[in-house]
Amino acid sequence: MLATLLAFVTFAVSFLARPFGSLLLGGQNTAMVMNFGIQTLGRYLGAMAVIALVALAFFRESKDVDFEQ
């Protein structure tokens, strides 16, 4: 019961805070541009993290192999 009430309170707070965020950021278009910029940055950082983890795993595994056999 408490979890359901907290979920509804969260939705109500976000619904009421959205107009203030729009006023603060200068309108909905500005907020959308900022949101797309943040999404693009997040996708870029996520892709770089995956590439770095794969590279680290590859180098770690290749370090254990004895190539002089």
Side-chain angles (χ1 to χ4, degrees):
M1 179 73 179
L2 179 63
T4 305
L5 182 63
L6 289 174
F8 283 127
V9 168
T10 302
F11 283 121
V13 167
S14 64
F15 182 77
L16 295 173
R18 186 175 180 193
F20 295 111
S22 179
L23 289 173
L24 189 79
L25 296 174
Q28 190 173 5
N29 291 336
T30 305
M32 285 177 56
V33 168
M34 288 180 64
N35 189 21
F36 287 132
I38 291 170
Q39 287 178 357
T40 304
L41 178 65
R43 288 184 183 136
Y44 175 76
L45 291 176
M48 290 299 113
V50 168
I51 290 170
L53 287 174
V54 168
L56 286 173
F58 176 75
F59 289 125
R60 180 178 174 209
E61 291 297 322
S62 66
K63 186 178 178 182
D64 294 336
V65 176
D66 186 19
F67 291 109
E68 296 180 9
Q69 289 182 346

Coordinates of all heavy atoms in Angstrom, one line a residue:
M1 N 0.8 -1.2 0.0 CA 0.0 0.0 0.0 C 0.9 1.3 0.0 O 0.6 2.2 -0.7 CB -0.9 -0.1 1.2 CG -1.8 1.1 1.4 SD -3.1 1.1 0.2 CE -4.0 2.5 0.6
L2 N 1.9 1.2 0.8 CA 2.8 2.4 0.9 C 3.5 2.6 -0.4 O 3.7 3.7 -0.8 CB 3.8 2.2 2.1 CG 4.8 3.4 2.3 CD1 4.0 4.7 2.6 CD2 5.8 3.0 3.3
A3 N 4.0 1.5 -1.0 CA 4.7 1.6 -2.3 C 3.8 2.2 -3.4 O 4.3 3.0 -4.2 CB 5.2 0.3 -2.7
T4 N 2.6 1.8 -3.4 CA 1.7 2.4 -4.4 C 1.5 3.9 -4.2 O 1.5 4.7 -5.1 CB 0.3 1.6 -4.3 OG1 0.5 0.3 -4.5 CG2 -0.6 2.1 -5.4
L5 N 1.3 4.3 -2.9 CA 1.1 5.7 -2.6 C 2.3 6.5 -3.0 O 2.2 7.6 -3.5 CB 0.8 5.8 -1.1 CG 0.6 7.2 -0.6 CD1 -0.7 7.8 -1.3 CD2 0.4 7.2 0.9
L6 N 3.5 5.9 -2.7 CA 4.8 6.6 -3.0 C 4.9 6.7 -4.6 O 5.4 7.8 -5.1 CB 6.0 5.9 -2.4 CG 6.1 6.0 -0.9 CD1 7.3 5.2 -0.4 CD2 6.3 7.5 -0.5
A7 N 4.5 5.7 -5.3 CA 4.6 5.8 -6.8 C 3.7 6.9 -7.3 O 4.1 7.7 -8.2 CB 4.1 4.5 -7.4
F8 N 2.4 7.0 -6.7 CA 1.5 8.1 -7.2 C 2.1 9.5 -6.8 O 1.9 10.4 -7.5 CB 0.1 7.9 -6.6 CG -0.6 6.8 -7.3 CD1 -1.2 5.8 -6.6 CD2 -0.8 6.9 -8.7 CE1 -1.9 4.8 -7.3 CE2 -1.5 5.9 -9.4 CZ -2.1 4.9 -8.6
V9 N 2.7 9.6 -5.6 CA 3.3 10.8 -5.2 C 4.4 11.2 -6.2 O 4.6 12.4 -6.5 CB 3.8 10.8 -3.7 CG1 4.7 11.9 -3.4 CG2 2.6 10.7 -2.8
T10 N 5.2 10.3 -6.6 CA 6.3 10.5 -7.5 C 5.8 11.1 -8.8 O 6.3 12.1 -9.4 CB 7.1 9.3 -7.7 OG1 7.6 8.8 -6.5 CG2 8.3 9.5 -8.7
F11 N 4.7 10.4 -9.3 CA 4.1 10.9 -10.6 C 3.5 12.3 -10.4 O 3.7 13.2 -11.3 CB 3.0 10.0 -11.1 CG 3.6 8.7 -11.7 CD1 3.3 7.5 -11.2 CD2 4.4 8.8 -12.8 CE1 3.8 6.3 -11.8 CE2 4.9 7.7 -13.4 CZ 4.6 6.4 -12.9
A12 N 2.9 12.6 -9.3 CA 2.3 13.9 -9.0 C 3.4 15.0 -9.0 O 3.2 16.1 -9.5 CB 1.5 13.9 -7.8
V13 N 4.5 14.7 -8.3 CA 5.6 15.7 -8.2 C 6.2 16.0 -9.6 O 6.4 17.1 -9.9 CB 6.7 15.2 -7.2 CG1 7.9 16.0 -7.3 CG2 6.1 15.2 -5.8
S14 N 6.4 14.9 -10.4 CA 7.0 15.2 -11.7 C 6.0 15.9 -12.6 O 6.4 16.8 -13.4 CB 7.4 13.8 -12.3 OG 6.2 13.0 -12.6
F15 N 4.7 15.6 -12.4 CA 3.7 16.3 -13.2 C 3.6 17.8 -12.9 O 3.5 18.7 -13.7 CB 2.3 15.7 -13.0 CG 1.2 16.3 -13.8 CD1 1.1 16.0 -15.2 CD2 0.3 17.2 -13.2 CE1 0.0 16.6 -15.9 CE2 -0.7 17.7 -13.9 CZ -0.9 17.5 -15.3
L16 N 3.7 18.1 -11.6 CA 3.7 19.5 -11.1 C 5.0 20.2 -11.4 O 5.0 21.5 -11.6 CB 3.3 19.6 -9.7 CG 1.9 19.1 -9.3 CD1 1.7 19.0 -7.8 CD2 0.9 19.9 -10.0
A17 N 6.1 19.5 -11.4 CA 7.4 20.2 -11.6 C 7.7 20.5 -13.0 O 8.6 21.3 -13.3 CB 8.5 19.3 -11.0
R18 N 7.1 19.8 -14.0 CA 7.4 20.0 -15.4 C 7.2 21.4 -15.9 O 8.1 21.9 -16.6 CB 6.6 19.0 -16.2 CG 6.9 19.0 -17.7 CD 6.2 18.0 -18.4 NE 6.6 18.0 -19.8 CZ 5.9 17.4 -20.8 NH1 4.9 16.7 -20.5 NH2 6.3 17.5 -22.0
P19 N 6.1 22.1 -15.5 CA 6.0 23.5 -16.0 C 7.1 24.4 -15.5 O 7.6 25.3 -16.2 CB 4.6 24.0 -15.5 CG 3.9 22.7 -15.3 CD 4.9 21.7 -14.9
F20 N 7.5 24.2 -14.2 CA 8.6 25.0 -13.7 C 9.9 24.7 -14.4 O 10.7 25.7 -14.6 CB 8.7 24.7 -12.2 CG 7.5 25.2 -11.4 CD1 6.7 24.2 -10.8 CD2 7.2 26.5 -11.3 CE1 5.6 24.6 -10.1 CE2 6.1 26.9 -10.6 CZ 5.3 26.0 -10.0
G21 N 10.2 23.5 -14.7 CA 11.4 23.2 -15.5 C 11.4 23.8 -16.9 O 12.4 24.3 -17.4
S22 N 10.2 23.9 -17.5 CA 10.0 24.5 -18.8 C 10.3 26.0 -18.7 O 11.0 26.6 -19.5 CB 8.6 24.3 -19.3 OG 8.5 24.9 -20.6
L23 N 9.8 26.7 -17.6 CA 10.1 28.1 -17.4 C 11.6 28.3 -17.1 O 12.2 29.3 -17.6 CB 9.3 28.6 -16.2 CG 7.8 28.8 -16.5 CD1 7.1 29.1 -15.2 CD2 7.5 29.8 -17.5
L24 N 12.2 27.4 -16.4 CA 13.6 27.6 -16.0 C 14.5 27.4 -17.2 O 15.5 28.1 -17.4 CB 13.9 26.6 -14.9 CG 15.3 26.7 -14.3 CD1 15.2 27.8 -13.3 CD2 15.7 25.4 -13.6
L25 N 14.2 26.5 -18.1 CA 15.0 26.2 -19.3 C 14.6 27.0 -20.5 O 15.3 26.8 -21.5 CB 15.0 24.7 -19.6 CG 15.5 23.8 -18.5 CD1 15.3 22.3 -18.8 CD2 17.0 24.1 -18.3
G26 N 13.6 27.8 -20.4 CA 13.3 28.6 -21.6 C 12.3 28.0 -22.6 O 12.3 28.4 -23.7
G27 N 11.5 27.1 -22.2 CA 10.5 26.5 -23.1 C 10.8 25.0 -23.4 O 11.8 24.5 -23.1
Q28 N 9.8 24.4 -24.0 CA 9.8 23.0 -24.3 C 10.9 22.7 -25.3 O 11.5 21.6 -25.2 CB 8.5 22.5 -24.7 CG 8.4 21.0 -24.7 CD 6.9 20.6 -25.0 OE1 6.1 21.4 -25.2 NE2 6.7 19.3 -25.0
N29 N 11.0 23.5 -26.3 CA 12.0 23.2 -27.4 C 13.4 23.2 -26.8 O 14.2 22.3 -27.2 CB 11.9 24.3 -28.5 CG 10.6 24.1 -29.3 OD1 10.0 23.1 -29.3 ND2 10.2 25.2 -29.9
T30 N 13.8 24.1 -26.0 CA 15.1 24.1 -25.4 C 15.3 22.9 -24.5 O 16.4 22.2 -24.6 CB 15.3 25.4 -24.5 OG1 15.0 26.5 -25.3 CG2 16.7 25.4 -23.9
A31 N 14.3 22.5 -23.8 CA 14.4 21.3 -23.0 C 14.6 20.0 -23.8 O 15.3 19.1 -23.5 CB 13.2 21.1 -22.1
M32 N 13.9 20.0 -25.0 CA 14.0 18.8 -25.9 C 15.4 18.8 -26.5 O 16.0 17.7 -26.6 CB 13.0 18.9 -27.0 CG 11.6 18.6 -26.5 SD 10.3 18.7 -27.8 CE 11.0 17.7 -29.1
V33 N 15.9 19.9 -26.9 CA 17.3 19.9 -27.4 C 18.3 19.5 -26.4 O 19.2 18.7 -26.7 CB 17.6 21.3 -28.0 CG1 19.1 21.5 -28.3 CG2 16.8 21.6 -29.2
M34 N 18.2 20.0 -25.2 CA 19.1 19.6 -24.1 C 18.9 18.1 -23.8 O 19.9 17.4 -23.6 CB 18.8 20.3 -22.8 CG 19.2 21.8 -22.9 SD 18.9 22.7 -21.4 CE 19.9 21.8 -20.2
N35 N 17.7 17.5 -23.9 CA 17.5 16.1 -23.6 C 18.1 15.3 -24.7 O 18.8 14.3 -24.4 CB 16.0 15.8 -23.5 CG 15.7 14.5 -23.0 OD1 16.5 13.8 -22.4 ND2 14.5 14.0 -23.3
F36 N 18.0 15.7 -25.9 CA 18.6 14.9 -27.0 C 20.1 15.0 -26.9 O 20.8 14.0 -27.2 CB 18.1 15.4 -28.4 CG 16.7 15.0 -28.7 CD1 15.8 15.9 -29.2 CD2 16.3 13.7 -28.5 CE1 14.5 15.6 -29.5 CE2 15.0 13.3 -28.8 CZ 14.1 14.3 -29.3
G37 N 20.6 16.1 -26.5 CA 22.1 16.2 -26.3 C 22.6 15.3 -25.2 O 23.6 14.6 -25.4
I38 N 21.8 15.2 -24.2 CA 22.2 14.4 -23.0 C 22.1 12.9 -23.5 O 23.0 12.1 -23.1 CB 21.4 14.7 -21.8 CG1 21.7 16.0 -21.2 CG2 21.5 13.6 -20.7 CD1 20.8 16.5 -20.2
Q39 N 21.1 12.6 -24.2 CA 20.9 11.2 -24.7 C 22.1 10.8 -25.6 O 22.6 9.7 -25.6 CB 19.6 11.0 -25.5 CG 18.4 11.0 -24.6 CD 17.1 10.9 -25.3 OE1 17.1 10.8 -26.6 NE2 16.0 10.8 -24.6
T40 N 22.5 11.7 -26.5 CA 23.6 11.4 -27.4 C 24.9 11.2 -26.7 O 25.6 10.3 -26.9 CB 23.7 12.6 -28.4 OG1 22.5 12.8 -29.1 CG2 24.8 12.3 -29.4
L41 N 25.1 12.1 -25.7 CA 26.3 11.9 -24.9 C 26.3 10.6 -24.1 O 27.3 9.9 -24.0 CB 26.4 13.1 -23.9 CG 27.6 13.1 -22.9 CD1 28.9 13.2 -23.7 CD2 27.5 14.2 -21.9
G42 N 25.1 10.3 -23.6 CA 25.0 9.0 -22.8 C 25.3 7.8 -23.7 O 25.9 6.8 -23.3
R43 N 24.7 7.8 -24.9 CA 25.0 6.7 -25.9 C 26.4 6.6 -26.3 O 27.0 5.5 -26.4 CB 24.1 6.9 -27.1 CG 22.7 6.7 -26.9 CD 21.9 6.7 -28.1 NE 20.4 6.6 -27.8 CZ 19.5 7.3 -28.3 NH1 19.8 8.3 -29.2 NH2 18.2 7.1 -28.0
Y44 N 27.1 7.8 -26.5 CA 28.5 7.8 -26.8 C 29.3 7.2 -25.7 O 30.2 6.4 -25.9 CB 28.9 9.2 -27.1 CG 30.4 9.4 -27.4 CD1 31.0 8.9 -28.6 CD2 31.2 9.9 -26.4 CE1 32.3 9.0 -28.8 CE2 32.6 10.0 -26.6 CZ 33.1 9.6 -27.8 OH 34.5 9.7 -28.0
L45 N 29.1 7.7 -24.4 CA 29.8 7.2 -23.3 C 29.5 5.7 -23.0 O 30.5 5.0 -22.7 CB 29.5 8.0 -22.0 CG 30.0 9.4 -22.1 CD1 29.5 10.2 -20.8 CD2 31.5 9.5 -22.2
G46 N 28.3 5.3 -23.3 CA 28.0 3.9 -23.1 C 28.7 3.0 -24.1 O 29.3 1.9 -23.8
A47 N 28.8 3.5 -25.4 CA 29.5 2.7 -26.4 C 31.0 2.7 -26.1 O 31.6 1.6 -26.2 CB 29.2 3.4 -27.8
M48 N 31.5 3.8 -25.6 CA 33.0 3.8 -25.3 C 33.3 2.9 -24.1 O 34.3 2.2 -24.1 CB 33.4 5.2 -25.0 CG 33.5 6.2 -26.2 SD 34.6 5.6 -27.4 CE 33.5 5.2 -28.7
A49 N 32.4 2.8 -23.2 CA 32.6 1.9 -22.0 C 32.5 0.5 -22.5 O 33.4 -0.3 -22.0 CB 31.5 2.2 -21.0
V50 N 31.6 0.1 -23.3 CA 31.5 -1.3 -23.8 C 32.8 -1.6 -24.6 O 33.4 -2.7 -24.4 CB 30.3 -1.5 -24.7 CG1 30.3 -2.8 -25.4 CG2 29.0 -1.4 -23.9
I51 N 33.3 -0.7 -25.5 CA 34.5 -1.0 -26.3 C 35.7 -1.1 -25.3 O 36.5 -2.0 -25.5 CB 34.7 0.1 -27.3 CG1 33.6 0.0 -28.4 CG2 36.1 0.1 -27.9 CD1 33.6 1.2 -29.3
A52 N 35.8 -0.3 -24.3 CA 36.9 -0.4 -23.4 C 36.9 -1.7 -22.6 O 37.9 -2.3 -22.4 CB 36.8 0.8 -22.4
L53 N 35.7 -2.1 -22.2 CA 35.6 -3.4 -21.4 C 36.0 -4.6 -22.3 O 36.7 -5.5 -21.8 CB 34.2 -3.5 -20.8 CG 33.9 -2.6 -19.6 CD1 32.4 -2.8 -19.2 CD2 34.8 -2.9 -18.5
V54 N 35.5 -4.6 -23.5 CA 35.9 -5.7 -24.4 C 37.4 -5.7 -24.7 O 38.0 -6.7 -24.7 CB 35.0 -5.5 -25.7 CG1 35.6 -6.5 -26.8 CG2 33.6 -5.8 -25.5
A55 N 37.9 -4.5 -24.9 CA 39.4 -4.4 -25.2 C 40.2 -4.9 -23.9 O 41.2 -5.6 -24.1 CB 39.8 -3.0 -25.5
L56 N 39.8 -4.5 -22.7 CA 40.5 -4.9 -21.5 C 40.3 -6.4 -21.3 O 41.3 -7.1 -21.0 CB 39.9 -4.2 -20.3 CG 40.3 -2.7 -20.2 CD1 39.5 -2.0 -19.0 CD2 41.8 -2.6 -20.0
A57 N 39.2 -7.0 -21.6 CA 39.0 -8.4 -21.5 C 39.9 -9.1 -22.5 O 40.5 -10.2 -22.2 CB 37.6 -8.8 -21.6
F58 N 39.9 -8.6 -23.7 CA 40.8 -9.2 -24.8 C 42.2 -9.2 -24.4 O 42.9 -10.2 -24.5 CB 40.5 -8.5 -26.1 CG 41.4 -9.0 -27.2 CD1 41.2 -10.2 -27.8 CD2 42.5 -8.3 -27.6 CE1 42.0 -10.7 -28.8 CE2 43.4 -8.8 -28.6 CZ 43.1 -10.0 -29.2
F59 N 42.7 -8.1 -23.9 CA 44.1 -8.0 -23.6 C 44.5 -8.8 -22.4 O 45.6 -9.4 -22.2 CB 44.5 -6.5 -23.4 CG 44.6 -5.8 -24.7 CD1 43.9 -4.6 -24.8 CD2 45.3 -6.2 -25.7 CE1 43.9 -3.9 -26.0 CE2 45.4 -5.5 -26.9 CZ 44.7 -4.3 -27.1
R60 N 43.5 -8.9 -21.4 CA 43.8 -9.7 -20.3 C 43.9 -11.2 -20.6 O 44.7 -11.9 -20.1 CB 42.6 -9.5 -19.3 CG 42.8 -10.3 -18.0 CD 41.7 -10.0 -17.0 NE 41.8 -10.9 -15.9 CZ 40.8 -11.3 -15.2 NH1 39.6 -10.9 -15.5 NH2 41.0 -12.1 -14.2
E61 N 43.0 -11.6 -21.5 CA 43.0 -13.0 -21.9 C 44.2 -13.3 -22.8 O 44.8 -14.4 -22.7 CB 41.7 -13.4 -22.7 CG 40.5 -13.4 -21.8 CD 40.6 -14.5 -20.7 OE1 41.1 -15.6 -21.0 OE2 40.1 -14.2 -19.6
S62 N 44.6 -12.4 -23.6 CA 45.8 -12.6 -24.5 C 47.1 -12.6 -23.7 O 48.1 -13.1 -24.1 CB 45.8 -11.6 -25.6 OG 46.0 -10.3 -25.1
K63 N 47.1 -12.0 -22.6 CA 48.2 -11.9 -21.7 C 48.6 -13.3 -21.1 O 49.7 -13.6 -20.9 CB 48.0 -10.9 -20.6 CG 49.2 -10.6 -19.8 CD 48.9 -9.5 -18.7 CE 50.1 -9.3 -17.8 NZ 49.8 -8.3 -16.8
D64 N 47.5 -14.1 -20.9 CA 47.7 -15.4 -20.3 C 48.1 -16.4 -21.3 O 48.5 -17.5 -20.9 CB 46.4 -15.8 -19.6 CG 46.0 -15.0 -18.5 OD1 46.9 -14.3 -17.9 OD2 44.8 -14.9 -18.1
V65 N 48.1 -16.2 -22.6 CA 48.4 -17.1 -23.6 C 49.9 -17.1 -23.8 O 50.5 -16.0 -24.0 CB 47.6 -16.8 -24.9 CG1 48.0 -17.8 -26.0 CG2 46.1 -16.9 -24.6
D66 N 50.5 -18.3 -23.9 CA 51.9 -18.4 -24.2 C 52.1 -18.6 -25.7 O 51.7 -19.6 -26.3 CB 52.5 -19.5 -23.5 CG 54.0 -19.6 -23.6 OD1 54.6 -18.6 -24.0 OD2 54.6 -20.7 -23.4
F67 N 52.5 -17.5 -26.4 CA 52.6 -17.6 -27.9 C 53.9 -18.2 -28.4 O 54.1 -18.4 -29.5 CB 52.6 -16.1 -28.5 CG 51.2 -15.5 -28.3 CD1 51.0 -14.5 -27.4 CD2 50.2 -15.9 -29.1 CE1 49.8 -13.9 -27.3 CE2 48.9 -15.4 -28.9 CZ 48.7 -14.3 -28.0
E68 N 54.8 -18.6 -27.5 CA 56.1 -19.2 -27.9 C 56.1 -20.7 -28.0 O 57.2 -21.3 -28.1 CB 57.2 -18.7 -26.9 CG 57.4 -17.2 -26.9 CD 58.5 -16.8 -26.0 OE1 59.2 -17.6 -25.4 OE2 58.6 -15.5 -25.7
Q69 N 55.0 -21.3 -28.0 CA 54.9 -22.8 -28.0 C 55.2 -23.3 -29.4 O 54.8 -22.9 -30.4 CB 53.6 -23.3 -27.6 CG 53.4 -23.1 -26.1 CD 52.1 -23.6 -25.6 OE1 51.2 -23.9 -26.4 NE2 52.0 -23.8 -24.3

